[in-house]
Amino acid sequence: MSDYDQVRKGKLIFKGESSSSKSSKRKHKKHKKEKSEKRRRIVDPDAEKHGGWWKVTEVEQIVGSIAIQFGQSYVKALDNGLFTLGAPKTIGEGPSPEEILTASRNDTKISFKSGYGKYLRIEKDNTITGRSDAIGPLEEMEPVFENGKTAILTHNGNFLSVDPEDDALVALRKKVGAEEICTIRSCQPRELHDDSKDIPLEEKEDDLNQVEINYVKKFQKFQDHKLRISKEDKTALEKAKAEGLLHEALLDRRSKMKADRYCK
């Protein structure tokens, strides 16, 4: 071993900075980053049950790798250009490679390509095949979202479903029934919206009595810091909250108590 190999390898230490202080700074930054990421992370229980594949709720989300789910199974491409249902999935399991499609969007119309590099299309006998090399009207489908449910409309005016006799992918009916209800799932990165961030800090309580106390503490104008809380019944607050008028109702109650710096 040469003298060079025996030298202890490590990061440069600049003048006025010890190795211990650098290590401490790195740990602090790492801890801060982990805390920040933890705060941003929002749990999606449904996606966790499906291996991280989340439920699509609007057409703009259908891009890249997607899977079409009927019941507990996904549509599966076969090497002969046909489609069937794959084996039912267990909790935490996502689609298999042959169950993953690639979606491309043209306004509200979607085209799906199988893992064999062919586009799905509706045939004259109402079956769905994956044998097209290019996108035309027969290869375009339109997802329909209504009341939390999803169905896929094909070019012939019928909706996608799975034939219960042979598990083949077909489009037989012009009305949506239980057989036409599906779930489109995606694994694309997304930014989830944390609804709790829209709630003012003072309102992050289930008890309306505590919510009122929080606002009185925030806006009271008395120097003695003694709380002036309205003795009126809280039923009106419940109704105001349901109607989206909670702020106005709370302000009115504080106004009557002459306990708000914004009330004259």
Side-chain angles (χ1 to χ4, degrees):
M1 183 181 292
S2 67
D3 292 339
Y4 181 83
D5 293 330
Q6 296 180 45
V7 175
R8 183 181 176 185
K9 296 179 175 64
K11 290 191 176 290
L12 293 175
I13 301 176
F14 294 95
K15 185 176 180 180
E17 182 178 26
S18 67
S19 58
S20 61
S21 65
K22 286 178 69 66
S23 176
S24 176
K25 285 182 180 180
R26 284 196 297 271
K27 288 180 180 178
H28 176 70
K29 287 181 179 179
K30 182 179 179 182
H31 180 65
K32 188 175 180 181
K33 181 179 180 182
E34 288 176 350
K35 283 185 69 176
S36 177
E37 289 178 349
K38 188 175 182 180
R39 285 196 300 267
R40 289 197 303 266
R41 194 179 301 125
I42 304 171
V43 177
D44 183 346
D46 177 70
E48 289 185 344
K49 290 180 182 178
H50 297 87
W53 288 70
W54 47 275
K55 182 179 179 180
V56 166
T57 56
E58 54 188 39
V59 69
E60 288 79 11
Q61 297 172 331
I62 306 177
V63 63
S65 297
I66 64 98
I68 301 175
Q69 179 185 10
F70 286 92
Q72 297 301 314
S73 301
Y74 294 96
V75 171
K76 176 181 177 180
L78 303 176
D79 58 8
N80 61 358
L82 297 178
F83 294 87
T84 187
L85 272 186
K89 301 298 181 182
T90 58
I91 294 178
E93 186 179 8
S96 304
E98 59 269 26
E99 297 167 344
I100 298 175
L101 306 172
T102 301
S104 54
R105 182 167 62 90
N106 178 17
D107 196 16
T108 61
K109 301 295 179 65
I110 304 293
S111 299
F112 301 105
K113 184 193 291 187
S114 74
Y116 295 100
K118 302 292 184 178
Y119 290 98
L120 279 64
R121 64 176 284 163
I122 179 70
E123 302 290 352
K124 291 181 179 180
D125 62 356
N126 294 330
T127 61
I128 302 296
T129 64
R131 296 167 180 159
S132 297
D133 293 314
I135 300 173
L138 296 177
E139 286 75 27
E140 291 184 325
M141 304 182 189
E142 186 169 1
V144 178
F145 302 95
E146 187 174 323
N147 298 326
K149 297 179 180 179
T150 305
I152 301 176
L153 183 66
T154 63
H155 181 71
N156 68 354
N158 296 343
F159 290 90
L160 279 188
S161 64
V162 177
D163 191 330
E165 293 185 5
D166 56 9
D167 283 346
L169 190 62
V170 294
L172 302 175
R173 289 173 283 273
K174 296 187 181 298
K175 292 186 177 181
V176 176
E179 296 82 1
E180 285 72 37
I181 299 297
C182 66
T183 299
I184 302 174
R185 294 194 176 275
S186 172
C187 65
Q188 299 298 311
R190 60 172 175 163
E191 292 184 5
L192 294 182
H193 180 66
D194 187 356
D195 292 332
S196 65
K197 292 181 179 178
D198 295 336
I199 303 175
L201 184 62
E202 292 76 17
E203 294 180 32
K204 292 186 177 180
E205 299 280 354
D206 294 328
D207 183 4
L208 278 178
N209 184 57
Q210 185 60 49
V211 170
E212 183 168 22
I213 292 173
N214 292 344
Y215 273 107
V216 171
K217 286 181 178 179
K218 182 176 181 180
F219 295 116
Q220 69 177 356
K221 63 180 179 178
F222 295 99
Q223 298 300 319
D224 58 9
H225 298 293
K226 292 181 180 179
L227 296 179
R228 270 67 167 177
I229 306 295
S230 175
K231 302 298 183 182
E232 293 182 13
D233 186 64
K234 296 290 192 297
T235 305
L237 286 184
E238 294 284 355
K239 182 180 179 181
K241 183 178 180 181
E243 296 174 351
L245 300 172
L246 181 60
H247 284 203
E248 290 84 348
L250 287 170
L251 180 60
D252 182 60
R253 289 163 70 92
R254 295 197 304 274
S255 175
K256 292 177 181 178
M257 298 299 296
K258 301 185 183 301
D260 193 292
R261 68 171 68 107
Y262 296 111
C263 297
K264 295 181 179 181

